[in-house]
Amino acid sequence: MNDLAPAAAPGPTRCADPAAGTPLRRAAPALAAYAAIRLLGVLVLAVWSAADGKDWHTLLTARWDSLWYTRVAEDGYGYAVTMPGGDIHSNLAFFPLLPWLERGLSALLPVSAADAGMAVAWLSSAAAAWALYATGERLHGPRAGIVLAALWAALPVGIVQSMAYSESLFTALAAWGVYAVLTGRWVAAGVCASLAGLTRPVGVAVVAAVWLTAVATLWREHNGGIRLRAALRAHPGLPTGVLLAPLGWCGYFLWVGARQGSFTGYLDVQGGWGNGFDGGLAFGAFAWGLLNGPTAAAGVALLLGVGLVGWLYVRGVRRGQPLPLAVYGGAVLLLALTAKGYFGSKPRLMMPAYPLLLPLAAALARRRPVWSWLAIGAAAAGSAVYGAFWLNGSGPP
């Protein structure tokens, strides 16, 4: 059964002892493992880039979307490029929290906006790793928390966590927001959800986790014969958290709409980039095209990858993953797979869906440490090599 009560103990697998030390001290091994894996990725990138005649620093701070974020930080919104086919790429597609932080940090310190973006990403990714440790610790014990943070660092596209992109910032806010729901800190959950909604369009997934868990919590209390007023007293801050959660996402969506003179202004901006949501039709057509051409092997690999992701999600739900994690992870996965646009970016779009890794983390945590760390070490090495190859090639759009 799903853990619908955010503050309730998740079952016999919970082994965290609050008296074992401060939260940061308990998370220190996870943060060390995370930092080591990401440092390996950056070092391999630096060596590979030097051999390829490129600069690793430029690849992390001044390519693809990072250039758009930097332009927003330096010049504000209003910049657009008309493509040869007539499509308009507007910087209104990029949510504002990362550029705001880049602008603020570069004003306080002698660093460029691009370097400020990388600093935000590195700090945010560490904060995300801490939140993942706290989640794994709460559900399956300290070892699972360490493994969960390490697995997230060792994702094939984990190098994005070290780039001046918004994925790390978003994942940190989302993971702490979902953790706040798990622990009954509704106001903190609402604040994190609102900030996540100012970071990426997928911030709506955090809002859904807050709202649906709140509804489920009140419904359970109602079925237990508790009146609404008494239920709200038993869950302080719940109405405030629910009201705060959508403010960031809705605020930016409505601001862009007002600026564009249309309620659907943000969707129109995304349409200019060739993005949008079509229920997965474009993705299905892309996979079918791979299967029916000389790239059939790539099509089979793509379907196997999607199948693995789906299996991990279903396994987590069937093993009693708490409702906020299931809702958040499912929403991120759904939005990533049903969006049209550049399909090479889908692994990056799914990177914040860390709940998918919980079944693997729990399983590895039960193994002998030597085997667990051999598996994680192999994944980390593969991630480092793939990340260097990816950024020196097509890279994330």
PDB file of all heavy atoms in Angstrom, residues 178-206:
ATOM      1  N   VAL A 178       9.497  17.269  -2.535  1.00  0.00           N
ATOM      2  CA  VAL A 178       8.845  15.971  -2.323  1.00  0.00           C
ATOM      3  C   VAL A 178       9.199  15.414  -0.946  1.00  0.00           C
ATOM      4  O   VAL A 178       8.343  14.836  -0.254  1.00  0.00           O
ATOM      5  CB  VAL A 178       9.242  14.991  -3.448  1.00  0.00           C
ATOM      6  CG1 VAL A 178       8.744  13.589  -3.147  1.00  0.00           C
ATOM      7  CG2 VAL A 178       8.682  15.473  -4.786  1.00  0.00           C
ATOM      8  N   TYR A 179      10.447  15.601  -0.523  1.00  0.00           N
ATOM      9  CA  TYR A 179      10.828  15.144   0.815  1.00  0.00           C
ATOM     10  C   TYR A 179      10.039  15.892   1.891  1.00  0.00           C
ATOM     11  O   TYR A 179       9.647  15.307   2.910  1.00  0.00           O
ATOM     12  CB  TYR A 179      12.325  15.339   1.025  1.00  0.00           C
ATOM     13  CG  TYR A 179      12.818  14.849   2.368  1.00  0.00           C
ATOM     14  CD1 TYR A 179      12.974  13.489   2.608  1.00  0.00           C
ATOM     15  CD2 TYR A 179      13.107  15.744   3.405  1.00  0.00           C
ATOM     16  CE1 TYR A 179      13.413  13.029   3.845  1.00  0.00           C
ATOM     17  CE2 TYR A 179      13.548  15.299   4.632  1.00  0.00           C
ATOM     18  CZ  TYR A 179      13.698  13.933   4.852  1.00  0.00           C
ATOM     19  OH  TYR A 179      14.121  13.477   6.069  1.00  0.00           O
ATOM     20  N   ALA A 180       9.799  17.191   1.664  1.00  0.00           N
ATOM     21  CA  ALA A 180       9.007  17.959   2.622  1.00  0.00           C
ATOM     22  C   ALA A 180       7.588  17.410   2.710  1.00  0.00           C
ATOM     23  O   ALA A 180       6.988  17.359   3.808  1.00  0.00           O
ATOM     24  CB  ALA A 180       8.975  19.433   2.223  1.00  0.00           C
ATOM     25  N   VAL A 181       7.019  16.976   1.588  1.00  0.00           N
ATOM     26  CA  VAL A 181       5.697  16.349   1.634  1.00  0.00           C
ATOM     27  C   VAL A 181       5.762  15.054   2.433  1.00  0.00           C
ATOM     28  O   VAL A 181       4.894  14.765   3.270  1.00  0.00           O
ATOM     29  CB  VAL A 181       5.169  16.082   0.210  1.00  0.00           C
ATOM     30  CG1 VAL A 181       3.835  15.342   0.270  1.00  0.00           C
ATOM     31  CG2 VAL A 181       5.002  17.382  -0.560  1.00  0.00           C
ATOM     32  N   LEU A 182       6.790  14.244   2.193  1.00  0.00           N
ATOM     33  CA  LEU A 182       6.941  12.976   2.910  1.00  0.00           C
ATOM     34  C   LEU A 182       6.996  13.176   4.421  1.00  0.00           C
ATOM     35  O   LEU A 182       6.518  12.328   5.188  1.00  0.00           O
ATOM     36  CB  LEU A 182       8.218  12.264   2.457  1.00  0.00           C
ATOM     37  CG  LEU A 182       8.194  11.526   1.118  1.00  0.00           C
ATOM     38  CD1 LEU A 182       9.600  11.052   0.769  1.00  0.00           C
ATOM     39  CD2 LEU A 182       7.231  10.360   1.158  1.00  0.00           C
ATOM     40  N   THR A 183       7.582  14.278   4.842  1.00  0.00           N
ATOM     41  CA  THR A 183       7.769  14.519   6.276  1.00  0.00           C
ATOM     42  C   THR A 183       6.743  15.479   6.860  1.00  0.00           C
ATOM     43  O   THR A 183       6.886  15.913   7.991  1.00  0.00           O
ATOM     44  CB  THR A 183       9.190  15.065   6.522  1.00  0.00           C
ATOM     45  OG1 THR A 183       9.412  16.212   5.705  1.00  0.00           O
ATOM     46  CG2 THR A 183      10.233  14.002   6.192  1.00  0.00           C
ATOM     47  N   GLY A 184       5.712  15.823   6.074  1.00  0.00           N
ATOM     48  CA  GLY A 184       4.634  16.651   6.592  1.00  0.00           C
ATOM     49  C   GLY A 184       4.966  18.114   6.733  1.00  0.00           C
ATOM     50  O   GLY A 184       4.257  18.841   7.444  1.00  0.00           O
ATOM     51  N   ARG A 185       5.985  18.603   6.055  1.00  0.00           N
ATOM     52  CA  ARG A 185       6.336  20.035   6.090  1.00  0.00           C
ATOM     53  C   ARG A 185       5.705  20.723   4.882  1.00  0.00           C
ATOM     54  O   ARG A 185       6.352  20.991   3.865  1.00  0.00           O
ATOM     55  CB  ARG A 185       7.861  20.190   6.095  1.00  0.00           C
ATOM     56  CG  ARG A 185       8.537  19.582   7.327  1.00  0.00           C
ATOM     57  CD  ARG A 185      10.061  19.655   7.185  1.00  0.00           C
ATOM     58  NE  ARG A 185      10.755  19.226   8.382  1.00  0.00           N
ATOM     59  CZ  ARG A 185      11.117  17.980   8.637  1.00  0.00           C
ATOM     60  NH1 ARG A 185      10.832  17.018   7.765  1.00  0.00           N
ATOM     61  NH2 ARG A 185      11.754  17.666   9.753  1.00  0.00           N
ATOM     62  N   TRP A 186       4.430  21.019   4.998  1.00  0.00           N
ATOM     63  CA  TRP A 186       3.651  21.449   3.848  1.00  0.00           C
ATOM     64  C   TRP A 186       4.052  22.824   3.326  1.00  0.00           C
ATOM     65  O   TRP A 186       4.066  23.054   2.116  1.00  0.00           O
ATOM     66  CB  TRP A 186       2.164  21.424   4.194  1.00  0.00           C
ATOM     67  CG  TRP A 186       1.646  20.036   4.372  1.00  0.00           C
ATOM     68  CD1 TRP A 186       1.436  19.371   5.537  1.00  0.00           C
ATOM     69  CD2 TRP A 186       1.292  19.125   3.321  1.00  0.00           C
ATOM     70  NE1 TRP A 186       0.971  18.098   5.290  1.00  0.00           N
ATOM     71  CE2 TRP A 186       0.874  17.928   3.946  1.00  0.00           C
ATOM     72  CE3 TRP A 186       1.290  19.198   1.935  1.00  0.00           C
ATOM     73  CZ2 TRP A 186       0.448  16.819   3.207  1.00  0.00           C
ATOM     74  CZ3 TRP A 186       0.878  18.102   1.200  1.00  0.00           C
ATOM     75  CH2 TRP A 186       0.463  16.930   1.835  1.00  0.00           C
ATOM     76  N   VAL A 187       4.357  23.750   4.207  1.00  0.00           N
ATOM     77  CA  VAL A 187       4.742  25.088   3.746  1.00  0.00           C
ATOM     78  C   VAL A 187       6.063  25.014   2.968  1.00  0.00           C
ATOM     79  O   VAL A 187       6.195  25.616   1.885  1.00  0.00           O
ATOM     80  CB  VAL A 187       4.851  26.066   4.924  1.00  0.00           C
ATOM     81  CG1 VAL A 187       5.374  27.422   4.453  1.00  0.00           C
ATOM     82  CG2 VAL A 187       3.488  26.236   5.594  1.00  0.00           C
ATOM     83  N   ALA A 188       7.027  24.281   3.500  1.00  0.00           N
ATOM     84  CA  ALA A 188       8.293  24.108   2.791  1.00  0.00           C
ATOM     85  C   ALA A 188       8.069  23.430   1.446  1.00  0.00           C
ATOM     86  O   ALA A 188       8.697  23.793   0.439  1.00  0.00           O
ATOM     87  CB  ALA A 188       9.261  23.293   3.641  1.00  0.00           C
ATOM     88  N   ALA A 189       7.166  22.455   1.409  1.00  0.00           N
ATOM     89  CA  ALA A 189       6.852  21.778   0.154  1.00  0.00           C
ATOM     90  C   ALA A 189       6.280  22.757  -0.859  1.00  0.00           C
ATOM     91  O   ALA A 189       6.643  22.736  -2.046  1.00  0.00           O
ATOM     92  CB  ALA A 189       5.874  20.633   0.403  1.00  0.00           C
ATOM     93  N   GLY A 190       5.378  23.635  -0.394  1.00  0.00           N
ATOM     94  CA  GLY A 190       4.790  24.619  -1.300  1.00  0.00           C
ATOM     95  C   GLY A 190       5.813  25.600  -1.825  1.00  0.00           C
ATOM     96  O   GLY A 190       5.794  25.961  -3.011  1.00  0.00           O
ATOM     97  N   VAL A 191       6.730  26.037  -0.968  1.00  0.00           N
ATOM     98  CA  VAL A 191       7.767  26.975  -1.407  1.00  0.00           C
ATOM     99  C   VAL A 191       8.681  26.315  -2.436  1.00  0.00           C
ATOM    100  O   VAL A 191       8.991  26.902  -3.486  1.00  0.00           O
ATOM    101  CB  VAL A 191       8.580  27.472  -0.196  1.00  0.00           C
ATOM    102  CG1 VAL A 191       9.796  28.256  -0.656  1.00  0.00           C
ATOM    103  CG2 VAL A 191       7.711  28.334   0.709  1.00  0.00           C
ATOM    104  N   CYS A 192       9.112  25.080  -2.153  1.00  0.00           N
ATOM    105  CA  CYS A 192       9.990  24.382  -3.105  1.00  0.00           C
ATOM    106  C   CYS A 192       9.277  24.138  -4.425  1.00  0.00           C
ATOM    107  O   CYS A 192       9.875  24.293  -5.504  1.00  0.00           O
ATOM    108  CB  CYS A 192      10.461  23.054  -2.508  1.00  0.00           C
ATOM    109  SG  CYS A 192      11.698  23.213  -1.195  1.00  0.00           S
ATOM    110  N   ALA A 193       7.994  23.759  -4.365  1.00  0.00           N
ATOM    111  CA  ALA A 193       7.243  23.530  -5.598  1.00  0.00           C
ATOM    112  C   ALA A 193       7.113  24.811  -6.407  1.00  0.00           C
ATOM    113  O   ALA A 193       7.225  24.809  -7.638  1.00  0.00           O
ATOM    114  CB  ALA A 193       5.861  22.966  -5.270  1.00  0.00           C
ATOM    115  N   SER A 194       6.883  25.920  -5.724  1.00  0.00           N
ATOM    116  CA  SER A 194       6.760  27.197  -6.420  1.00  0.00           C
ATOM    117  C   SER A 194       8.073  27.585  -7.095  1.00  0.00           C
ATOM    118  O   SER A 194       8.093  28.036  -8.247  1.00  0.00           O
ATOM    119  CB  SER A 194       6.324  28.290  -5.442  1.00  0.00           C
ATOM    120  OG  SER A 194       6.056  29.491  -6.115  1.00  0.00           O
ATOM    121  N   LEU A 195       9.185  27.399  -6.388  1.00  0.00           N
ATOM    122  CA  LEU A 195      10.495  27.720  -6.975  1.00  0.00           C
ATOM    123  C   LEU A 195      10.835  26.763  -8.118  1.00  0.00           C
ATOM    124  O   LEU A 195      11.410  27.181  -9.133  1.00  0.00           O
ATOM    125  CB  LEU A 195      11.570  27.672  -5.893  1.00  0.00           C
ATOM    126  CG  LEU A 195      11.487  28.770  -4.828  1.00  0.00           C
ATOM    127  CD1 LEU A 195      12.515  28.514  -3.728  1.00  0.00           C
ATOM    128  CD2 LEU A 195      11.705  30.145  -5.454  1.00  0.00           C
ATOM    129  N   ALA A 196      10.495  25.485  -7.963  1.00  0.00           N
ATOM    130  CA  ALA A 196      10.706  24.535  -9.058  1.00  0.00           C
ATOM    131  C   ALA A 196       9.905  24.953 -10.283  1.00  0.00           C
ATOM    132  O   ALA A 196      10.352  24.794 -11.429  1.00  0.00           O
ATOM    133  CB  ALA A 196      10.330  23.127  -8.619  1.00  0.00           C
ATOM    134  N   GLY A 197       8.710  25.502 -10.052  1.00  0.00           N
ATOM    135  CA  GLY A 197       7.880  25.977 -11.145  1.00  0.00           C
ATOM    136  C   GLY A 197       8.425  27.206 -11.832  1.00  0.00           C
ATOM    137  O   GLY A 197       7.988  27.544 -12.934  1.00  0.00           O
ATOM    138  N   LEU A 198       9.364  27.899 -11.203  1.00  0.00           N
ATOM    139  CA  LEU A 198      10.054  29.020 -11.832  1.00  0.00           C
ATOM    140  C   LEU A 198      11.327  28.582 -12.547  1.00  0.00           C
ATOM    141  O   LEU A 198      12.029  29.411 -13.117  1.00  0.00           O
ATOM    142  CB  LEU A 198      10.427  30.074 -10.783  1.00  0.00           C
ATOM    143  CG  LEU A 198       9.322  31.022 -10.312  1.00  0.00           C
ATOM    144  CD1 LEU A 198       9.821  31.859  -9.141  1.00  0.00           C
ATOM    145  CD2 LEU A 198       8.854  31.929 -11.457  1.00  0.00           C
ATOM    146  N   THR A 199      11.614  27.289 -12.492  1.00  0.00           N
ATOM    147  CA  THR A 199      12.880  26.779 -13.016  1.00  0.00           C
ATOM    148  C   THR A 199      12.729  26.045 -14.339  1.00  0.00           C
ATOM    149  O   THR A 199      13.512  26.244 -15.266  1.00  0.00           O
ATOM    150  CB  THR A 199      13.535  25.834 -11.991  1.00  0.00           C
ATOM    151  OG1 THR A 199      13.626  26.498 -10.729  1.00  0.00           O
ATOM    152  CG2 THR A 199      14.923  25.413 -12.428  1.00  0.00           C
ATOM    153  N   ARG A 200      11.709  25.187 -14.424  1.00  0.00           N
ATOM    154  CA  ARG A 200      11.490  24.409 -15.642  1.00  0.00           C
ATOM    155  C   ARG A 200       9.995  24.176 -15.823  1.00  0.00           C
ATOM    156  O   ARG A 200       9.253  24.123 -14.826  1.00  0.00           O
ATOM    157  CB  ARG A 200      12.215  23.056 -15.589  1.00  0.00           C
ATOM    158  CG  ARG A 200      13.731  23.163 -15.588  1.00  0.00           C
ATOM    159  CD  ARG A 200      14.389  21.795 -15.761  1.00  0.00           C
ATOM    160  NE  ARG A 200      14.035  21.178 -17.023  1.00  0.00           N
ATOM    161  CZ  ARG A 200      14.578  21.502 -18.196  1.00  0.00           C
ATOM    162  NH1 ARG A 200      15.519  22.422 -18.264  1.00  0.00           N
ATOM    163  NH2 ARG A 200      14.197  20.898 -19.299  1.00  0.00           N
ATOM    164  N   PRO A 201       9.539  23.961 -17.072  1.00  0.00           N
ATOM    165  CA  PRO A 201       8.115  23.679 -17.282  1.00  0.00           C
ATOM    166  C   PRO A 201       7.627  22.463 -16.520  1.00  0.00           C
ATOM    167  O   PRO A 201       6.470  22.417 -16.090  1.00  0.00           O
ATOM    168  CB  PRO A 201       8.025  23.468 -18.804  1.00  0.00           C
ATOM    169  CG  PRO A 201       9.209  24.163 -19.373  1.00  0.00           C
ATOM    170  CD  PRO A 201      10.287  24.073 -18.344  1.00  0.00           C
ATOM    171  N   VAL A 202       8.518  21.482 -16.315  1.00  0.00           N
ATOM    172  CA  VAL A 202       8.130  20.260 -15.627  1.00  0.00           C
ATOM    173  C   VAL A 202       7.902  20.490 -14.133  1.00  0.00           C
ATOM    174  O   VAL A 202       7.548  19.568 -13.402  1.00  0.00           O
ATOM    175  CB  VAL A 202       9.197  19.158 -15.875  1.00  0.00           C
ATOM    176  CG1 VAL A 202      10.449  19.420 -15.062  1.00  0.00           C
ATOM    177  CG2 VAL A 202       8.631  17.778 -15.591  1.00  0.00           C
ATOM    178  N   GLY A 203       8.061  21.737 -13.683  1.00  0.00           N
ATOM    179  CA  GLY A 203       7.730  22.062 -12.297  1.00  0.00           C
ATOM    180  C   GLY A 203       6.302  21.698 -11.929  1.00  0.00           C
ATOM    181  O   GLY A 203       5.980  21.509 -10.753  1.00  0.00           O
ATOM    182  N   VAL A 204       5.448  21.566 -12.935  1.00  0.00           N
ATOM    183  CA  VAL A 204       4.065  21.161 -12.669  1.00  0.00           C
ATOM    184  C   VAL A 204       4.021  19.776 -12.025  1.00  0.00           C
ATOM    185  O   VAL A 204       3.056  19.447 -11.318  1.00  0.00           O
ATOM    186  CB  VAL A 204       3.247  21.196 -13.980  1.00  0.00           C
ATOM    187  CG1 VAL A 204       3.673  20.093 -14.936  1.00  0.00           C
ATOM    188  CG2 VAL A 204       1.760  21.128 -13.712  1.00  0.00           C
ATOM    189  N   ALA A 205       5.051  18.952 -12.219  1.00  0.00           N
ATOM    190  CA  ALA A 205       5.088  17.623 -11.597  1.00  0.00           C
ATOM    191  C   ALA A 205       5.207  17.731 -10.082  1.00  0.00           C
ATOM    192  O   ALA A 205       4.635  16.916  -9.344  1.00  0.00           O
ATOM    193  CB  ALA A 205       6.260  16.813 -12.155  1.00  0.00           C
ATOM    194  N   VAL A 206       5.951  18.714  -9.593  1.00  0.00           N
ATOM    195  CA  VAL A 206       6.078  18.914  -8.146  1.00  0.00           C
ATOM    196  C   VAL A 206       4.749  19.422  -7.580  1.00  0.00           C
ATOM    197  O   VAL A 206       4.325  19.017  -6.498  1.00  0.00           O
ATOM    198  CB  VAL A 206       7.217  19.886  -7.819  1.00  0.00           C
ATOM    199  CG1 VAL A 206       7.551  19.833  -6.333  1.00  0.00           C
ATOM    200  CG2 VAL A 206       8.456  19.583  -8.638  1.00  0.00           C
TER     201      VAL A 206
END
